[in-house]
Structures are given as C-alpha cells and as structure tokens.
Amino acid sequence: MDVVIVKNYIEMSKYAAGLVGECIKERDQPVIGLATGGTPIGMYQLLVRQYRAGLLSFKHVRTFNLDEYIGLEPAHAKSYHRYMQEHLFSHVDIPPDQTFLPDGIAHNLRMECRRYEKLLKKIGPPDLQILGIGENGHIGFNEPGSDLDSGTHVVRLAASTRKANARYFQSLENVPTHAITMGVKSILRSKKIVLLASGDRKAEAVRRLLEGNPDPDFPASALYQHPNVTLIADEKAFYS
Ligand code: PGA
C-alpha cells in the first residue's frame, strides 16, 4: 500500500481529483468507482471546476457507486443517488445512463444485488475506485465482521455507522438500518484503489489500517490483498 501524507483536506482533495482526472484523460472509456460521505466532497468540487474550465470531460466516463441506503427513493434528500447529482453528475457532461448506483428501493433486493454485480463485471471493473474509510474500518458499507469474500449484497448497518451518519439526517431514527453495498470482493477487482482519510476522527482507523494485520473485524485491512492501493491521508488523520 502506498501512503501519501498531505497537509490538509484541500490537499487531499486536490491529490485525489488529480488521480481521477489523469485516469479519465488516459482512457477512451474510463470506468470510475465513486464513494459518498463527507470525505470526497472536496474532490468532486475540484473535478467540477476542472470540467467548467474545459480541462476535463465526463462524456465517455462510466461510474459505479459503492452503495445506497435501502428504502430511500433516488430523489430522497439523503439518498446517495441525490448526493451524486448534487455533488457531481448534474454539474458535468456525464450522460445519466452512464452512471450506476444500486437501487435501494428495488422490490427484490437479492435480484438487485445480482444485477449490480453483473453490471460491474460487464462494464467494469473500475479502472480507479475511490474509497473512504469508516471510523470502524468499513469500506463501502462492508461493516466489521462481514464476509470479506462477497460481491454486492445487503448489509445491516453497524450502530456506530448509523450514529456517525446521523449528522446527515434529522435524527438517528431517520438513518436507514440497511444498505446495498459492493462487497469487498467486488471492490478488490478494481484496477487501482485510492483510499481517502481526513481529520482526527479517522486517525484511529488509519493507525489500525497501517498495522497491516488482516482482520475481518476491520474490513479495510482486506485492501492489503490488492497490489495497487494508495492511501491519501491528511496530517490530522495520520498524526493525531
Ligand atoms: P465520511 O464517511 O466520508 O462521511 O467520513 C466515510 C465512510 O464511512 O466510508
């Protein structure tokens, strides 16, 4: 695992946007795996800025998101569909039919997982997968103790994840209890993985990650099975 330590959130976002931009420019039909949450927002802002400056086009890009809450309509203010519209898709020239997220309101969730995994295999795997890290070491919504050998599946969110994400909802009760997530196995198929960590809230997770011990109770440790992972951590996430 390569480790890049940068000064702060802005520098982390710049570094990550640079890698995404490069990946898009180098390929005719790039496939990018995207993450949601607070961490990648700055990166998306910079990508939108590059697009507006005429430096980057998303016309031929296809994107796969890691996860979606179960029970939230795409238009719901807190769904990841909506997050992606607000932070990236509606600001750039990506055709809507080239953006893929799991459907959190599918009638048959098991079929939906199968559909998404098939699509990932057909169109993907991502040339570059962006990841955040949960304070509990989750990647996507693969929570501690989850099967590290799984494809896209339904998960019950850990109490700590619901608590961490309650800041985006009106109250803890409003945070969905389940989600669909790409599995660790699906994530590890990506050609390159970029893991972002910012702020002292993530310092414990970064410290544990860098211990390098494979541990099903710390899903991010599975990233050591991949030959091309770069962790971009800011000073607070690294030194706190
Ligand atoms: P955050 O979430 O970016 O909102 O901190 C990251 C994650 O839980 O994967």
Side-chain angles (χ1 to χ4, degrees):
M1 181 176 301
D2 291 333
V3 181
V4 178
I5 304 165
V6 292
K7 187 140 198 62
N8 52 32
Y9 181 76
I10 295 175
E11 294 303 317
M12 181 202 71
S13 304
K14 274 190 199 161
Y15 202 106
L19 292 178
V20 173
E22 250 172 48
C23 179
I24 291 176
K25 284 179 203 157
E26 277 168 5
R27 289 173 176 76
D28 294 334
Q29 296 213 303
V31 180
I32 310 288
L34 298 176
T36 49
T39 308
I41 290 178
M43 177 192 82
Y44 292 134
Q45 285 170 347
L46 293 168
L47 289 170
V48 170
R49 207 181 288 170
Q50 283 192 44
Y51 164 72
R52 288 190 176 141
L55 301 171
L56 195 61
S57 168
F58 291 77
K59 231 182 214 155
H60 302 293
V61 176
R62 273 135 346 139
T63 63
F64 280 92
N65 268 79
L66 285 166
D67 41 25
E68 178 58 288
Y69 289 115
I70 289 178
L72 300 194
E73 307 261 345
H76 187 285
K78 302 300 170 191
S79 77
Y80 288 157
H81 279 78
R82 179 83 173 264
Y83 171 107
M84 288 311 306
Q85 288 301 326
E86 284 176 0
H87 293 292
L88 184 67
F89 298 157
S90 70
H91 305 290
V92 298
D93 58 346
I94 192 162
D97 64 356
Q98 290 172 203
T99 65
F100 305 103
L101 289 95
D103 176 4
I105 54 164
H107 277 306
N108 185 331
L109 292 168
R110 193 185 276 196
M111 282 213 350
E112 172 56 12
C113 292
R114 243 190 273 152
R115 179 195 73 86
Y116 201 67
E117 192 66 24
K118 251 186 167 169
L119 206 58
L120 258 170
K121 282 189 184 145
K122 186 170 157 213
I123 296 174
D127 296 300
L128 175 63
Q129 173 70 57
I130 298 292
L131 291 181
I133 184 167
E135 290 165 50
N136 64 1
H138 73 202
I139 48 175
F141 272 136
N142 293 278
E143 301 286 25
S146 54
D147 178 6
L148 300 184
D149 195 36
S150 62
T152 302
H153 63 292
V154 170
V155 287
R156 183 185 192 90
L157 298 178
S160 60
T161 297
R162 293 187 65 237
K163 208 166 141 204
N165 289 4
R167 67 190 193 278
Y168 300 118
F169 291 81
Q170 271 164 349
S171 69
L172 182 59
E173 296 83 75
N174 290 339
V175 183
T177 54
H178 290 76
I180 297 183
T181 186
M182 273 165 64
V184 169
K185 197 160 133 193
S186 355
I187 292 171
L188 291 178
R189 257 187 237 116
S190 311
K191 295 176 195 157
K192 178 176 175 64
I193 296 175
V194 173
L195 176 64
L196 306 179
S198 168
D200 44 20
R201 222 163 41 81
K202 299 297 169 72
E204 175 59 19
V206 167
R207 189 194 58 69
R208 215 167 145 189
L209 173 72
L210 294 177
E211 282 173 3
N213 302 323
D215 180 356
D217 280 332
F218 193 77
S221 65
L223 294 173
Y224 282 97
Q225 295 169 34
H226 193 284
N228 192 351
V229 179
T230 302
L231 164 68
I232 310 172
D234 67 10
E235 289 183 358
K236 281 193 174 149
F238 195 78
Y239 295 116
S240 298

